[in-house]
PDB file of all heavy atoms in Angstrom:
ATOM      1  N   GLN A   1      -2.904   0.042  17.618  1.00  0.00           N
ATOM      2  CA  GLN A   1      -3.507   1.096  16.807  1.00  0.00           C
ATOM      3  C   GLN A   1      -4.157   0.550  15.534  1.00  0.00           C
ATOM      4  O   GLN A   1      -4.504   1.316  14.634  1.00  0.00           O
ATOM      5  CB  GLN A   1      -2.438   2.127  16.414  1.00  0.00           C
ATOM      6  CG  GLN A   1      -1.783   2.831  17.594  1.00  0.00           C
ATOM      7  CD  GLN A   1      -2.767   3.671  18.380  1.00  0.00           C
ATOM      8  OE1 GLN A   1      -3.482   4.488  17.806  1.00  0.00           O
ATOM      9  NE2 GLN A   1      -2.825   3.458  19.694  1.00  0.00           N
ATOM     10  N   VAL A   2      -4.306  -0.786  15.450  1.00  0.00           N
ATOM     11  CA  VAL A   2      -4.903  -1.378  14.253  1.00  0.00           C
ATOM     12  C   VAL A   2      -6.021  -2.326  14.656  1.00  0.00           C
ATOM     13  O   VAL A   2      -6.129  -2.753  15.811  1.00  0.00           O
ATOM     14  CB  VAL A   2      -3.869  -2.142  13.406  1.00  0.00           C
ATOM     15  CG1 VAL A   2      -2.774  -1.208  12.915  1.00  0.00           C
ATOM     16  CG2 VAL A   2      -3.281  -3.320  14.184  1.00  0.00           C
ATOM     17  N   SER A   3      -6.840  -2.668  13.685  1.00  0.00           N
ATOM     18  CA  SER A   3      -7.898  -3.660  13.864  1.00  0.00           C
ATOM     19  C   SER A   3      -7.652  -4.796  12.886  1.00  0.00           C
ATOM     20  O   SER A   3      -6.776  -4.728  12.017  1.00  0.00           O
ATOM     21  CB  SER A   3      -9.257  -3.023  13.593  1.00  0.00           C
ATOM     22  OG  SER A   3      -9.386  -2.721  12.208  1.00  0.00           O
ATOM     23  N   GLU A   4      -8.464  -5.843  13.003  1.00  0.00           N
ATOM     24  CA  GLU A   4      -8.364  -6.952  12.057  1.00  0.00           C
ATOM     25  C   GLU A   4      -8.615  -6.486  10.628  1.00  0.00           C
ATOM     26  O   GLU A   4      -8.097  -7.070   9.677  1.00  0.00           O
ATOM     27  CB  GLU A   4      -9.379  -8.040  12.421  1.00  0.00           C
ATOM     28  CG  GLU A   4      -8.968  -8.890  13.601  1.00  0.00           C
ATOM     29  CD  GLU A   4      -7.693  -9.669  13.326  1.00  0.00           C
ATOM     30  OE1 GLU A   4      -7.677 -10.484  12.386  1.00  0.00           O
ATOM     31  OE2 GLU A   4      -6.695  -9.438  14.043  1.00  0.00           O
ATOM     32  N   HIS A   5      -9.373  -5.414  10.480  1.00  0.00           N
ATOM     33  CA  HIS A   5      -9.767  -4.961   9.146  1.00  0.00           C
ATOM     34  C   HIS A   5      -8.741  -4.036   8.490  1.00  0.00           C
ATOM     35  O   HIS A   5      -8.733  -3.910   7.256  1.00  0.00           O
ATOM     36  CB  HIS A   5     -11.124  -4.258   9.213  1.00  0.00           C
ATOM     37  CG  HIS A   5     -12.213  -5.116   9.769  1.00  0.00           C
ATOM     38  ND1 HIS A   5     -12.701  -6.218   9.110  1.00  0.00           N
ATOM     39  CD2 HIS A   5     -12.897  -5.054  10.949  1.00  0.00           C
ATOM     40  CE1 HIS A   5     -13.634  -6.799   9.842  1.00  0.00           C
ATOM     41  NE2 HIS A   5     -13.777  -6.108  10.963  1.00  0.00           N
ATOM     42  N   ASN A   6      -7.886  -3.376   9.285  1.00  0.00           N
ATOM     43  CA  ASN A   6      -6.986  -2.395   8.676  1.00  0.00           C
ATOM     44  C   ASN A   6      -5.507  -2.639   8.953  1.00  0.00           C
ATOM     45  O   ASN A   6      -4.671  -1.810   8.601  1.00  0.00           O
ATOM     46  CB  ASN A   6      -7.366  -0.975   9.104  1.00  0.00           C
ATOM     47  CG  ASN A   6      -7.194  -0.739  10.593  1.00  0.00           C
ATOM     48  OD1 ASN A   6      -6.511  -1.475  11.289  1.00  0.00           O
ATOM     49  ND2 ASN A   6      -7.835   0.316  11.102  1.00  0.00           N
ATOM     50  N   ARG A   7      -5.160  -3.749   9.593  1.00  0.00           N
ATOM     51  CA  ARG A   7      -3.758  -3.987   9.946  1.00  0.00           C
ATOM     52  C   ARG A   7      -2.863  -4.074   8.714  1.00  0.00           C
ATOM     53  O   ARG A   7      -1.725  -3.576   8.728  1.00  0.00           O
ATOM     54  CB  ARG A   7      -3.601  -5.229  10.829  1.00  0.00           C
ATOM     55  CG  ARG A   7      -4.180  -6.485  10.261  1.00  0.00           C
ATOM     56  CD  ARG A   7      -4.265  -7.609  11.305  1.00  0.00           C
ATOM     57  NE  ARG A   7      -2.970  -8.187  11.598  1.00  0.00           N
ATOM     58  CZ  ARG A   7      -2.475  -9.238  10.942  1.00  0.00           C
ATOM     59  NH1 ARG A   7      -3.141  -9.795   9.930  1.00  0.00           N
ATOM     60  NH2 ARG A   7      -1.298  -9.729  11.284  1.00  0.00           N
ATOM     61  N   LEU A   8      -3.350  -4.676   7.631  1.00  0.00           N
ATOM     62  CA  LEU A   8      -2.561  -4.739   6.402  1.00  0.00           C
ATOM     63  C   LEU A   8      -2.412  -3.355   5.794  1.00  0.00           C
ATOM     64  O   LEU A   8      -1.302  -2.937   5.435  1.00  0.00           O
ATOM     65  CB  LEU A   8      -3.198  -5.700   5.405  1.00  0.00           C
ATOM     66  CG  LEU A   8      -2.547  -5.742   4.015  1.00  0.00           C
ATOM     67  CD1 LEU A   8      -1.082  -6.131   4.109  1.00  0.00           C
ATOM     68  CD2 LEU A   8      -3.318  -6.709   3.098  1.00  0.00           C
ATOM     69  N   GLU A   9      -3.491  -2.635   5.702  1.00  0.00           N
ATOM     70  CA  GLU A   9      -3.461  -1.292   5.104  1.00  0.00           C
ATOM     71  C   GLU A   9      -2.531  -0.365   5.883  1.00  0.00           C
ATOM     72  O   GLU A   9      -1.687   0.331   5.300  1.00  0.00           O
ATOM     73  CB  GLU A   9      -4.875  -0.726   5.086  1.00  0.00           C
ATOM     74  CG  GLU A   9      -4.978   0.709   4.589  1.00  0.00           C
ATOM     75  CD  GLU A   9      -6.365   1.293   4.807  1.00  0.00           C
ATOM     76  OE1 GLU A   9      -7.295   0.540   5.146  1.00  0.00           O
ATOM     77  OE2 GLU A   9      -6.495   2.524   4.646  1.00  0.00           O
ATOM     78  N   LYS A  10      -2.674  -0.350   7.213  1.00  0.00           N
ATOM     79  CA  LYS A  10      -1.841   0.542   8.025  1.00  0.00           C
ATOM     80  C   LYS A  10      -0.389   0.084   8.060  1.00  0.00           C
ATOM     81  O   LYS A  10       0.533   0.908   8.054  1.00  0.00           O
ATOM     82  CB  LYS A  10      -2.413   0.642   9.433  1.00  0.00           C
ATOM     83  CG  LYS A  10      -3.706   1.439   9.514  1.00  0.00           C
ATOM     84  CD  LYS A  10      -4.029   1.822  10.949  1.00  0.00           C
ATOM     85  CE  LYS A  10      -5.219   2.783  11.002  1.00  0.00           C
ATOM     86  NZ  LYS A  10      -5.479   3.253  12.378  1.00  0.00           N
ATOM     87  N   GLY A  11      -0.183  -1.230   8.092  1.00  0.00           N
ATOM     88  CA  GLY A  11       1.181  -1.742   8.077  1.00  0.00           C
ATOM     89  C   GLY A  11       1.889  -1.412   6.782  1.00  0.00           C
ATOM     90  O   GLY A  11       3.054  -1.002   6.777  1.00  0.00           O
ATOM     91  N   LEU A  12       1.200  -1.562   5.673  1.00  0.00           N
ATOM     92  CA  LEU A  12       1.778  -1.243   4.373  1.00  0.00           C
ATOM     93  C   LEU A  12       2.110   0.241   4.282  1.00  0.00           C
ATOM     94  O   LEU A  12       3.158   0.625   3.731  1.00  0.00           O
ATOM     95  CB  LEU A  12       0.813  -1.651   3.267  1.00  0.00           C
ATOM     96  CG  LEU A  12       1.283  -1.474   1.826  1.00  0.00           C
ATOM     97  CD1 LEU A  12       2.577  -2.237   1.584  1.00  0.00           C
ATOM     98  CD2 LEU A  12       0.191  -1.940   0.855  1.00  0.00           C
ATOM     99  N   ALA A  13       1.265   1.084   4.843  1.00  0.00           N
ATOM    100  CA  ALA A  13       1.535   2.527   4.821  1.00  0.00           C
ATOM    101  C   ALA A  13       2.809   2.861   5.585  1.00  0.00           C
ATOM    102  O   ALA A  13       3.630   3.680   5.126  1.00  0.00           O
ATOM    103  CB  ALA A  13       0.345   3.285   5.410  1.00  0.00           C
ATOM    104  N   VAL A  14       3.006   2.244   6.740  1.00  0.00           N
ATOM    105  CA  VAL A  14       4.225   2.483   7.513  1.00  0.00           C
ATOM    106  C   VAL A  14       5.437   1.922   6.781  1.00  0.00           C
ATOM    107  O   VAL A  14       6.502   2.550   6.721  1.00  0.00           O
ATOM    108  CB  VAL A  14       4.111   1.855   8.917  1.00  0.00           C
ATOM    109  CG1 VAL A  14       5.450   1.928   9.649  1.00  0.00           C
ATOM    110  CG2 VAL A  14       3.037   2.549   9.726  1.00  0.00           C
ATOM    111  N   GLN A  15       5.281   0.748   6.212  1.00  0.00           N
ATOM    112  CA  GLN A  15       6.366   0.117   5.466  1.00  0.00           C
ATOM    113  C   GLN A  15       6.834   1.013   4.319  1.00  0.00           C
ATOM    114  O   GLN A  15       8.045   1.200   4.102  1.00  0.00           O
ATOM    115  CB  GLN A  15       5.873  -1.227   4.937  1.00  0.00           C
ATOM    116  CG  GLN A  15       6.950  -2.203   4.543  1.00  0.00           C
ATOM    117  CD  GLN A  15       6.349  -3.520   4.073  1.00  0.00           C
ATOM    118  OE1 GLN A  15       5.124  -3.652   3.923  1.00  0.00           O
ATOM    119  NE2 GLN A  15       7.200  -4.499   3.831  1.00  0.00           N
ATOM    120  N   ILE A  16       5.888   1.590   3.601  1.00  0.00           N
ATOM    121  CA  ILE A  16       6.228   2.486   2.490  1.00  0.00           C
ATOM    122  C   ILE A  16       6.848   3.774   3.021  1.00  0.00           C
ATOM    123  O   ILE A  16       7.791   4.326   2.418  1.00  0.00           O
ATOM    124  CB  ILE A  16       4.979   2.768   1.629  1.00  0.00           C
ATOM    125  CG1 ILE A  16       4.557   1.487   0.893  1.00  0.00           C
ATOM    126  CG2 ILE A  16       5.237   3.895   0.637  1.00  0.00           C
ATOM    127  CD1 ILE A  16       3.229   1.592   0.183  1.00  0.00           C
ATOM    128  N   GLU A  17       6.368   4.267   4.149  1.00  0.00           N
ATOM    129  CA  GLU A  17       6.954   5.463   4.754  1.00  0.00           C
ATOM    130  C   GLU A  17       8.432   5.241   5.077  1.00  0.00           C
ATOM    131  O   GLU A  17       9.261   6.140   4.905  1.00  0.00           O
ATOM    132  CB  GLU A  17       6.192   5.834   6.030  1.00  0.00           C
ATOM    133  CG  GLU A  17       6.721   7.086   6.722  1.00  0.00           C
ATOM    134  CD  GLU A  17       5.936   7.441   7.966  1.00  0.00           C
ATOM    135  OE1 GLU A  17       4.911   6.801   8.248  1.00  0.00           O
ATOM    136  OE2 GLU A  17       6.368   8.381   8.674  1.00  0.00           O
ATOM    137  N   ILE A  18       8.765   4.041   5.532  1.00  0.00           N
ATOM    138  CA  ILE A  18      10.151   3.748   5.914  1.00  0.00           C
ATOM    139  C   ILE A  18      11.016   3.456   4.694  1.00  0.00           C
ATOM    140  O   ILE A  18      12.128   3.967   4.573  1.00  0.00           O
ATOM    141  CB  ILE A  18      10.196   2.551   6.887  1.00  0.00           C
ATOM    142  CG1 ILE A  18       9.455   2.878   8.180  1.00  0.00           C
ATOM    143  CG2 ILE A  18      11.645   2.167   7.206  1.00  0.00           C
ATOM    144  CD1 ILE A  18       9.265   1.688   9.100  1.00  0.00           C
ATOM    145  N   PHE A  19      10.500   2.644   3.757  1.00  0.00           N
ATOM    146  CA  PHE A  19      11.355   2.121   2.688  1.00  0.00           C
ATOM    147  C   PHE A  19      11.050   2.666   1.301  1.00  0.00           C
ATOM    148  O   PHE A  19      11.826   2.452   0.371  1.00  0.00           O
ATOM    149  CB  PHE A  19      11.268   0.585   2.665  1.00  0.00           C
ATOM    150  CG  PHE A  19      11.732  -0.058   3.935  1.00  0.00           C
ATOM    151  CD1 PHE A  19      10.821  -0.650   4.785  1.00  0.00           C
ATOM    152  CD2 PHE A  19      13.074  -0.055   4.292  1.00  0.00           C
ATOM    153  CE1 PHE A  19      11.228  -1.243   5.966  1.00  0.00           C
ATOM    154  CE2 PHE A  19      13.494  -0.643   5.461  1.00  0.00           C
ATOM    155  CZ  PHE A  19      12.574  -1.232   6.313  1.00  0.00           C
ATOM    156  N   GLY A  20       9.913   3.328   1.127  1.00  0.00           N
ATOM    157  CA  GLY A  20       9.622   3.946  -0.155  1.00  0.00           C
ATOM    158  C   GLY A  20       9.022   2.991  -1.180  1.00  0.00           C
ATOM    159  O   GLY A  20       8.459   1.938  -0.850  1.00  0.00           O
ATOM    160  N   ASP A  21       9.186   3.357  -2.450  1.00  0.00           N
ATOM    161  CA  ASP A  21       8.532   2.653  -3.554  1.00  0.00           C
ATOM    162  C   ASP A  21       9.009   1.214  -3.731  1.00  0.00           C
ATOM    163  O   ASP A  21       8.339   0.416  -4.392  1.00  0.00           O
ATOM    164  CB  ASP A  21       8.766   3.408  -4.870  1.00  0.00           C
ATOM    165  CG  ASP A  21       8.089   4.774  -4.869  1.00  0.00           C
ATOM    166  OD1 ASP A  21       7.158   4.957  -4.052  1.00  0.00           O
ATOM    167  OD2 ASP A  21       8.480   5.628  -5.680  1.00  0.00           O
ATOM    168  N   VAL A  22      10.155   0.871  -3.153  1.00  0.00           N
ATOM    169  CA  VAL A  22      10.684  -0.489  -3.305  1.00  0.00           C
ATOM    170  C   VAL A  22       9.708  -1.527  -2.758  1.00  0.00           C
ATOM    171  O   VAL A  22       9.695  -2.678  -3.212  1.00  0.00           O
ATOM    172  CB  VAL A  22      12.064  -0.609  -2.614  1.00  0.00           C
ATOM    173  CG1 VAL A  22      11.930  -0.471  -1.094  1.00  0.00           C
ATOM    174  CG2 VAL A  22      12.736  -1.921  -2.965  1.00  0.00           C
ATOM    175  N   ILE A  23       8.874  -1.140  -1.811  1.00  0.00           N
ATOM    176  CA  ILE A  23       7.934  -2.092  -1.203  1.00  0.00           C
ATOM    177  C   ILE A  23       6.920  -2.586  -2.233  1.00  0.00           C
ATOM    178  O   ILE A  23       6.648  -3.785  -2.337  1.00  0.00           O
ATOM    179  CB  ILE A  23       7.218  -1.457   0.006  1.00  0.00           C
ATOM    180  CG1 ILE A  23       8.238  -1.073   1.079  1.00  0.00           C
ATOM    181  CG2 ILE A  23       6.161  -2.402   0.559  1.00  0.00           C
ATOM    182  CD1 ILE A  23       9.103  -2.216   1.551  1.00  0.00           C
ATOM    183  N   GLU A  24       6.349  -1.674  -3.002  1.00  0.00           N
ATOM    184  CA  GLU A  24       5.398  -2.088  -4.036  1.00  0.00           C
ATOM    185  C   GLU A  24       6.070  -2.991  -5.065  1.00  0.00           C
ATOM    186  O   GLU A  24       5.466  -3.959  -5.550  1.00  0.00           O
ATOM    187  CB  GLU A  24       4.783  -0.865  -4.716  1.00  0.00           C
ATOM    188  CG  GLU A  24       3.810  -0.088  -3.841  1.00  0.00           C
ATOM    189  CD  GLU A  24       2.534  -0.865  -3.531  1.00  0.00           C
ATOM    190  OE1 GLU A  24       2.357  -1.994  -4.058  1.00  0.00           O
ATOM    191  OE2 GLU A  24       1.713  -0.351  -2.750  1.00  0.00           O
ATOM    192  N   LYS A  25       7.325  -2.705  -5.392  1.00  0.00           N
ATOM    193  CA  LYS A  25       8.050  -3.539  -6.352  1.00  0.00           C
ATOM    194  C   LYS A  25       8.270  -4.940  -5.783  1.00  0.00           C
ATOM    195  O   LYS A  25       8.145  -5.943  -6.501  1.00  0.00           O
ATOM    196  CB  LYS A  25       9.380  -2.888  -6.701  1.00  0.00           C
ATOM    197  CG  LYS A  25       9.240  -1.579  -7.470  1.00  0.00           C
ATOM    198  CD  LYS A  25      10.589  -0.915  -7.708  1.00  0.00           C
ATOM    199  CE  LYS A  25      10.427   0.426  -8.414  1.00  0.00           C
ATOM    200  NZ  LYS A  25      11.726   1.126  -8.572  1.00  0.00           N
ATOM    201  N   MET A  26       8.600  -5.018  -4.494  1.00  0.00           N
ATOM    202  CA  MET A  26       8.784  -6.317  -3.853  1.00  0.00           C
ATOM    203  C   MET A  26       7.491  -7.124  -3.869  1.00  0.00           C
ATOM    204  O   MET A  26       7.494  -8.321  -4.163  1.00  0.00           O
ATOM    205  CB  MET A  26       9.245  -6.122  -2.399  1.00  0.00           C
ATOM    206  CG  MET A  26      10.681  -5.715  -2.230  1.00  0.00           C
ATOM    207  SD  MET A  26      11.064  -5.314  -0.498  1.00  0.00           S
ATOM    208  CE  MET A  26      10.414  -6.727   0.373  1.00  0.00           C
ATOM    209  N   ARG A  27       6.397  -6.448  -3.560  1.00  0.00           N
ATOM    210  CA  ARG A  27       5.109  -7.143  -3.511  1.00  0.00           C
ATOM    211  C   ARG A  27       4.685  -7.616  -4.903  1.00  0.00           C
ATOM    212  O   ARG A  27       4.180  -8.721  -5.059  1.00  0.00           O
ATOM    213  CB  ARG A  27       4.053  -6.221  -2.906  1.00  0.00           C
ATOM    214  CG  ARG A  27       4.251  -5.965  -1.416  1.00  0.00           C
ATOM    215  CD  ARG A  27       3.349  -4.838  -0.916  1.00  0.00           C
ATOM    216  NE  ARG A  27       1.940  -5.120  -1.094  1.00  0.00           N
ATOM    217  CZ  ARG A  27       1.194  -5.860  -0.262  1.00  0.00           C
ATOM    218  NH1 ARG A  27       1.738  -6.383   0.821  1.00  0.00           N
ATOM    219  NH2 ARG A  27      -0.092  -6.057  -0.489  1.00  0.00           N
ATOM    220  N   THR A  28       4.931  -6.789  -5.890  1.00  0.00           N
ATOM    221  CA  THR A  28       4.530  -7.129  -7.255  1.00  0.00           C
ATOM    222  C   THR A  28       5.378  -8.260  -7.822  1.00  0.00           C
ATOM    223  O   THR A  28       4.877  -9.145  -8.525  1.00  0.00           O
ATOM    224  CB  THR A  28       4.635  -5.896  -8.166  1.00  0.00           C
ATOM    225  OG1 THR A  28       3.805  -4.860  -7.646  1.00  0.00           O
ATOM    226  CG2 THR A  28       4.214  -6.227  -9.591  1.00  0.00           C
ATOM    227  N   SER A  29       6.674  -8.239  -7.517  1.00  0.00           N
ATOM    228  CA  SER A  29       7.594  -9.210  -8.108  1.00  0.00           C
ATOM    229  C   SER A  29       7.664 -10.534  -7.359  1.00  0.00           C
ATOM    230  O   SER A  29       8.283 -11.487  -7.854  1.00  0.00           O
ATOM    231  CB  SER A  29       9.003  -8.604  -8.182  1.00  0.00           C
ATOM    232  OG  SER A  29       9.494  -8.329  -6.868  1.00  0.00           O
ATOM    233  N   ALA A  30       7.038 -10.633  -6.199  1.00  0.00           N
ATOM    234  CA  ALA A  30       7.091 -11.884  -5.428  1.00  0.00           C
ATOM    235  C   ALA A  30       6.397 -13.005  -6.198  1.00  0.00           C
ATOM    236  O   ALA A  30       5.299 -12.809  -6.738  1.00  0.00           O
ATOM    237  CB  ALA A  30       6.427 -11.689  -4.071  1.00  0.00           C
TER     238      ALA A  30
END
């Protein structure tokens, strides 16, 4: 359901749906 152009965007959306705001904090603090 993804392409080379949107796999990151769609994956991040699902990741946030499952785990919430902690994902952005993980990405920012890495």
Side-chain angles (χ1 to χ4, degrees):
Q1 299 296 308
V2 299
S3 69
E4 283 297 299
H5 302 292
N6 64 18
R7 55 192 286 269
L8 174 59
E9 176 189 349
K10 288 195 172 185
L12 184 57
V14 172
Q15 199 178 7
I16 292 171
E17 181 179 354
I18 297 171
F19 299 109
D21 294 340
V22 67
I23 299 304
E24 289 293 356
K25 293 176 183 176
M26 285 173 50
R27 290 169 60 82
T28 302
S29 63

